[in-house]
């Protein structure tokens, strides 16, 4: 038990001292994961909404693939993005490997299927409820999609948070494409992995506690915004 | 859903959209801003976990930055992976410790030349009780005893410089690993730190570089059993990635880093790095 109490007091100490190195790492974690969520939401919500209202041959296969992609191991995505961005790879000329941008790309690829698959289900449920009304009003295609996205926006916030949680928690992809460079691409999860490899388990666990608190704070803010908006405009 | 019952609706929608757009623009701006602020003078060095995790770079790089104004970004990998990073052109400099592999890297044209910088040494670590009675100064005799006793041994198994050295010592000890290998020999396929964590958890023997061992905190019941054998010396070399293979290599900045490492001030900085009063790396550049 002494390990856990040491980790908790360590986490408290890290936060209360506002260690500039920790602040920089937390800041980078947040900007990388939030950027990835922003990109993935744009793509994932559009894809999910489109899949929810369209009917075509092969749709079932696409949905099955999308659901399967939710389980993609981050390390595989990391490897693929690494090979793409490497100087010897097809996008090598941009020199993006070992930069925060590479980490955003990897995380966006990781969570786009999650947001798309969950959004597809949420929007399709709404579509099943309103289909007849839409058809009688002559609303089709992207107009129907847009209306449904708007109608299910509160559920979609939760979908987005699921993507954010996955982005903040993963270590395999950002470790490979970011390189865990001190002060440049070191984020919460790679810092935890590094301290573990150094055998400093209490410090690693303290950083873990800080990460959980950061994610919790984000979720509380989202929850608060959501209930505020529901109460006011819902 | 008429406008008379919900007069705020259009404004609400606009406010929602506006806040979404602001959040999105904000995150995109930070994303775009990040590489721009980091676009100063920097080079990327692919090096080993032993130099990074022992804290050597944390000590050297600020001194180099002070002398030259150049930022060094270190990606810490196993020697095999570090050389591969250089081969792909994803680093400007490779700083590793596997002479045979380094010479091949240069001979294949991926590196300009290999320059010796410093050495450290390996130690054989094992349970304090030493069930295989391996303690002493002779690394090959010790490994033979570990194999004969079939005492638990953790291997990196990751094609790192340390792994390559371990395989050389087994060979020198006359132990045919392919034959002798059994449940006692555990390949973890991981870096030095994770392998030490495994050895500490299983109370097993393990070959480690002294630097990582000295800065490693989760030692459990392990202690140094074999040290001081000259065969345990471990030479580090630095190589400039060949600009004629990869035109984007920052050869001027990278050459400054290499020159500094072998200069009097660089060599002194290496010798000055100590943990608990113990020197970890011994500069031996030929000047």
């Amino acid at each position: 038990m002494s390990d856990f109490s040491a980790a908790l007091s360590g986490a408290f100490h890290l936060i209360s001292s506002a260690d500039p190195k920790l602040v920089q790492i937390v800041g980078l974690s947040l900007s990388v994961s939030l950027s990835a969520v922003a990109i993935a939401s744009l793509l994932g919500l559009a894809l999910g909404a489109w899949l929810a209202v369209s009917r075509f041959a092969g749709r079932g296969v696409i949905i099955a693939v999308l659901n399967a992609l939710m389980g993609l191991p981050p390390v595989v995505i990391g490897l693929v993005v690494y090979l793409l961005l490497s100087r010897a790879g097809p996008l090598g000329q941009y020199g993006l490997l070992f930069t925060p941008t590479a980490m955003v790309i990897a995380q966006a690829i990781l969570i786009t299927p999650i947001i798309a698959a969950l959004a597809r289900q949420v929007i399709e449920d709404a579509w099943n409820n309103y289909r007849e009304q839409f058809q009688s009003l002559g609303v089709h295609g992207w107009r129907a999609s847009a209306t449904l996205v708007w109608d299910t926006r509160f559920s979609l916030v939760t979908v987005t948070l699921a993507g954010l949680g996955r982005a903040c928690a993963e270590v395999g992809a950002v470790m490979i494409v970011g390189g865990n460079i001190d002060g440049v691409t070191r984020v919460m999860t790679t810092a935890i992995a590094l301290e573990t490899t150094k055998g400093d388990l209490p410090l690693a666990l303290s950083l873990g506690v800080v990460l959980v608190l950061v994610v919790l704070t984000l979720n509380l803010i989202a929850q608060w915004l959501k209930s505020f908006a529901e109460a006011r405009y819902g | 859903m008429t406008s008379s019952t919900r007069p705020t609706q259009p404004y609400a929608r606009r406010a929602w959209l506006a806040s979404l757009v602001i959040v999105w623009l904000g995150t995109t701006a930070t994303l775009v801003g990040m590489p721009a602020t980091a676009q100063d003078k920097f080079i990327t060095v692919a090096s080993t976990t032993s130099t990074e995790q022992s804290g050597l770079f944390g000590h050297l790089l600020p001194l180099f930055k002070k002398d030259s104004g150049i930022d060094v970004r270190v990606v810490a990998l196993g020697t095999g992976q570090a050389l591969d990073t250089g081969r792909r052109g994803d680093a400007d400099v490779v700083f590793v410790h596997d002479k045979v592999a380094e010479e091949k890297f240069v001979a294949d044209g991926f590196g300009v030349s290999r320059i010796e910088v410093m050495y450290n040494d390996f130690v054989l670590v094992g349970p304090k009780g030493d069930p295989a009675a391996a303690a002493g100064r002779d690394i090959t005799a010790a490994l033979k005893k570990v194999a004969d006793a079939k005492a638990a041994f953790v291997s990196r198994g990751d094609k790192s410089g340390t792994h390559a050295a371990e395989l050389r010592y087994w060979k020198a000890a006359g132990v045919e690993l392919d034959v002798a290998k059994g449940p006692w020999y555990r390949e973890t396929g991981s870096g030095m730190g994770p392998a030490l964590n495994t050895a500490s958890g299983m109370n097993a023997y393990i070959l480690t570089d002294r630097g990582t061992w000295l800065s490693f905190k989760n030692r459990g019941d392990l202690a140094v059993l074999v040290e001081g054998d000259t065969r345990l010396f471990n030479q580090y070399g630095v190589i400039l990635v060949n600009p004629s293979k990869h035109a984007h290599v920052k050869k001027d900045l990278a050459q400054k880093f290499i020159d500094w490492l072998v200069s009097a001030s660089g060599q002194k900085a290496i010798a000055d790095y100590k943990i608990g009063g113990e020197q970890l790396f011994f500069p031996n550049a030929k000047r």
Side-chain angles (χ1 to χ4, degrees):
Chain A
M1 278 312 288
S2 65
D3 285 344
F4 293 103
S5 52
L8 273 180
S9 66
F12 180 75
H13 182 76
L14 281 173
I15 296 170
S16 61
S17 66
D19 181 46
K21 210 152 184 174
L22 179 75
V23 170
Q24 193 264 335
I25 289 175
V26 170
L28 183 64
S29 290
L30 286 179
S31 55
V32 164
S33 294
L34 287 174
S35 304
V37 166
I39 294 166
S41 301
L42 213 63
L43 299 174
L45 292 181
L47 180 60
W50 173 69
L51 273 176
V53 301
S54 18
R55 294 291 178 274
F56 55 88
R59 177 175 175 273
V61 176
I62 292 186
I63 290 173
V65 168
L66 210 53
N67 288 338
L69 286 180
M70 285 200 285
L72 257 187
V75 65
V76 172
I77 294 171
L79 210 49
V80 170
V81 173
Y82 178 96
L83 292 173
L84 286 175
L85 299 184
S86 166
R87 292 287 185 177
L91 302 176
Q93 57 184 345
Y94 302 108
L96 289 176
L97 195 63
F98 304 143
T99 65
T101 310
M103 299 157 83
V104 173
I105 293 171
Q107 287 196 345
I109 294 175
L110 179 73
I111 58 179
T112 297
I114 296 174
I115 293 180
L118 296 178
R120 198 272 311 160
Q121 190 62 56
V122 166
I123 296 168
E124 191 168 328
D125 290 344
W127 170 246
N128 289 336
N129 286 337
Y130 295 123
R131 179 161 40 197
E132 286 178 11
Q133 276 165 281
F134 276 150
Q135 278 165 351
S136 66
L137 291 168
V139 179
H140 297 289
W142 71 269
R143 290 197 66 124
S145 297
T147 312
L148 286 168
V149 167
W150 179 249
D151 219 59
T152 55
R153 61 194 179 278
F154 298 119
S155 305
L156 292 179
V157 169
T158 306
V159 167
T160 310
L161 285 176
L164 179 66
R166 174 90 159 149
C168 287
E170 75 86 25
V171 57
V174 287
M175 183 67 103
I176 295 178
V177 303
N180 193 22
I181 299 171
D182 193 11
V184 182
T185 57
R186 183 160 299 162
V187 290
M188 295 294 300
T189 53
T190 58
I192 293 169
L194 177 66
E195 292 308 329
T196 307
T197 66
K198 284 174 159 173
D200 199 341
L201 307 188
L203 177 56
L205 198 53
S206 298
L207 288 168
V209 172
V210 174
L211 176 62
V212 169
L213 290 177
V214 168
V215 174
L216 183 66
T217 308
L218 279 182
N219 276 277
L220 285 174
I221 292 171
Q223 184 68 36
W224 178 78
L225 279 177
K226 192 174 138 179
S227 49
F228 173 77
E230 267 175 333
R232 182 113 189 236
Y233 312 117
Chain B
M1 295 265 277
T2 60
S3 59
S4 62
T5 56
R6 307 190 49 194
T8 55
Q9 178 72 22
Y11 301 103
R13 186 180 288 230
R14 249 176 257 166
W16 258 86
L17 285 175
S19 58
L20 272 180
V21 167
I22 288 167
V23 168
W24 197 76
L25 282 180
T27 48
T28 317
T30 53
L31 168 65
V32 173
M34 272 185 294
T37 52
Q39 207 52 261
D40 307 306
K41 284 204 293 184
F42 75 90
I43 57 170
T44 306
V45 174
S47 190
T48 69
T49 50
S50 54
T51 38
E52 165 82 349
Q53 288 174 14
S54 63
L56 177 68
F57 279 129
H59 167 74
L60 289 185
L61 300 184
L63 296 171
F64 174 62
K65 164 107 185 183
K66 219 174 106 196
D67 282 4
S68 67
I70 299 169
D71 267 312
V72 178
R73 297 183 178 178
V74 176
V75 185
L77 309 156
T79 290
Q81 206 188 342
L83 285 170
D84 191 54
T85 304
R87 206 171 285 130
R88 304 183 64 88
D90 293 322
D92 303 302
V93 173
V94 185
F95 189 8
V96 292
H97 61 101
D98 183 354
K99 194 175 172 185
V100 179
E102 288 163 45
E103 281 170 348
K104 184 173 184 310
F105 181 82
V106 173
D108 290 346
F110 292 107
V112 174
S113 67
R114 171 178 180 276
I115 298 161
E116 301 201 329
V117 176
M118 61 185 188
Y119 68 89
N120 68 347
D121 64 339
F122 292 120
V123 292
L124 183 72
V125 166
K128 285 193 185 100
D130 193 11
R137 280 184 68 93
D138 185 333
I139 183 64
T140 52
L143 285 180
K144 184 94 182 69
K145 284 177 188 160
V146 169
D148 288 345
K150 296 199 188 307
F153 183 94
V154 169
S155 168
R156 291 276 295 274
D158 63 348
K159 291 198 173 176
S160 59
T162 307
H163 183 217
E166 182 212 311
L167 296 179
R168 277 199 302 276
Y169 298 139
W170 283 116
K171 210 171 165 192
V175 176
E176 275 291 337
L177 267 189
D178 290 338
V179 184
K181 227 182 233 182
W184 62 275
Y185 185 84
R186 289 155 193 179
E187 282 184 82
T188 58
S190 59
M192 197 68 254
L196 278 170
N197 274 330
T198 309
S200 159
M202 301 195 306
N203 223 10
Y205 290 87
I206 182 170
L207 184 78
T208 171
D209 62 281
R210 192 186 292 273
T212 307
W213 170 253
L214 284 177
S215 55
F216 185 73
K217 299 210 171 71
N218 182 31
R219 294 182 185 179
D221 196 39
L222 301 181
V224 172
L225 297 176
V226 180
E227 61 184 322
D229 189 328
T230 51
R231 286 172 293 183
L232 288 171
F233 289 170
N234 174 37
Q235 181 68 46
Y236 282 78
V238 68
I239 305 172
L240 174 66
V241 174
N242 198 342
S244 64
K245 282 252 181 194
H246 295 287
H248 59 266
V249 166
K250 297 171 181 164
K251 69 167 186 265
D252 296 334
L253 298 183
Q255 191 61 50
K256 269 191 194 148
F257 178 59
I258 293 173
D259 291 346
W260 183 82
L261 278 178
V262 300
S263 73
S265 49
Q267 294 275 292
K268 181 175 179 301
I270 292 169
D272 284 347
Y273 182 59
K274 294 189 173 86
I275 296 181
E278 220 172 321
Q279 182 175 345
L280 266 62
F281 295 92
F282 298 84
N284 67 341
K286 298 177 189 77
R287 269 172 286 144

